[in-house]
Amino acid sequence: SYSVLPSFRRLYAVAENYNEAQYHTGDTVRWQPKPGAVISGNPAFPAKLNTSFYPLPGAAHEVATISALTGIDTLPGEQLTPTLLLRLLGAEYGPDFYYLACHGVSHPRYPIDSSFLLLAADAQHPNGRLSAREIQAARGIDPEVYNTDRDAWVFLSACETGLGQMQDAGITGLARAFVLAGARNVWMSLWPVDDRAAAVFMPIVMEELQKPAQFFPAENFRRAVERFRAIDPNPAHWAAFSLMGVPYPVHVNGKLIR
């Protein structure tokens, strides 16, 4: 079980919390969502302004399954706009869980301004594109601080969300933008993912995340990969997904199981 570290600075910030906790190897944790979680898929993006993109019917089925597993209502695709998502990310007591099944584009040369998620259009975003720069600035916090107070999970069930530009501090792009916006863990993809395969794989991930584990949530993610490989061994359908973040200290409220 492993996860991708956003930066050593991030690890240092979280390690301060570890020092305050009494960690026991027998302790296990699991995820329990707070009210207000966001689950949405196949956003109604403006097709005339994005002719190279196509609808994602598998994503719609995917989020319906995730909704049934978690008991969280889905947000209709026509309501998932960049302005709404930025408002939720920037709220002082915003949601701690975002599941977004949509199109994603990562630009290797301009990873902040030209990497984006494709959502439904609004007045400020007539093309429906939400850039990495807007995401990382959603909370108005210095990006070098790496605040850990939000403790959010973000699932980017989209193409190439783990790519970007190599920097001394790591990969700059969409996944890191969500970390800067308050995400503690981000599920990301390293290449264009198969819409139908993701609709099967990601619900398995969600099932495993609701089970206790010691190296949480990376251990849960590894279990999900093993289950899916028994169904579909093609690495093109499962190996694209990675987990960015650090494991939880066992004292996190709402996640400790004794």
Side-chain angles (χ1 to χ4, degrees), residues 14 59 63 83 118 162 195 207 225:
V14 176
V63 297
T83 297
L118 187 57
D195 186 37
E207 288 179 354
V225 170

Side-chain angles (χ1 to χ4, degrees), residues 87-98:
R87 178 172 61 81
L88 294 173
L89 289 170
E92 183 176 359
Y93 300 103
D96 68 343
F97 180 82
Y98 299 84

Side-chain angles (χ1 to χ4, degrees), residues 61-241:
H61 174 72
E62 179 182 338
V63 297
T65 306
I66 297 296
S67 174
L69 287 171
T70 60
I72 301 169
D73 293 334
T74 60
L75 181 70
E78 60 272 14
Q79 296 182 22
L80 182 62
T81 65
T83 297
L84 173 63
L85 187 56
L86 290 174
R87 178 172 61 81
L88 294 173
L89 289 170
E92 183 176 359
Y93 300 103
D96 68 343
F97 180 82
Y98 299 84
Y99 192 101
L100 309 175
C102 59
H103 283 294
V105 171
S106 179
H107 198 289
R109 188 172 181 182
Y110 305 108
I112 303 301
D113 293 307
S114 297
S115 297
F116 62 87
L117 297 180
L118 187 57
L119 310 178
D122 57 44
Q124 290 73 37
H125 306 80
N127 59 5
R129 300 185 180 190
L130 176 60
S131 71
R133 182 177 296 279
E134 292 177 283
I135 294 168
Q136 70 181 34
R139 299 188 64 195
I141 296 176
D142 183 352
E144 294 304 320
V145 174
Y146 282 98
N147 288 263
T148 59
D149 59 314
R150 177 55 55 87
D151 197 33
W153 280 13
V154 177
F155 284 80
L156 299 178
S157 184
C159 296
E160 303 180 347
T161 51
L163 300 183
Q165 187 180 80
M166 181 71 73
Q167 304 282 349
D168 290 342
I171 300 295
T172 298
L174 285 167
R176 183 174 181 271
F178 276 99
V179 170
L180 298 178
R184 182 175 185 127
N185 287 278
V186 179
W187 277 261
M188 58 188 184
S189 62
L190 302 178
W191 57 73
V193 296
D194 183 88
D195 186 37
R196 294 168 295 180
V200 177
F201 176 57
M202 297 307 286
I204 294 177
V205 173
M206 189 55 57
E207 288 179 354
E208 291 297 328
L209 286 169
Q210 296 184 69
K211 300 176 183 179
Q214 290 181 317
F215 190 58
F216 173 81
E219 181 180 341
N220 310 68
F221 185 61
R222 176 183 58 80
R223 294 174 186 168
V225 170
E226 291 178 343
R227 283 180 55 186
F228 184 78
R229 290 178 65 184
I231 302 171
D232 184 352
N234 186 349
H237 293 162
W238 58 266
F241 290 101

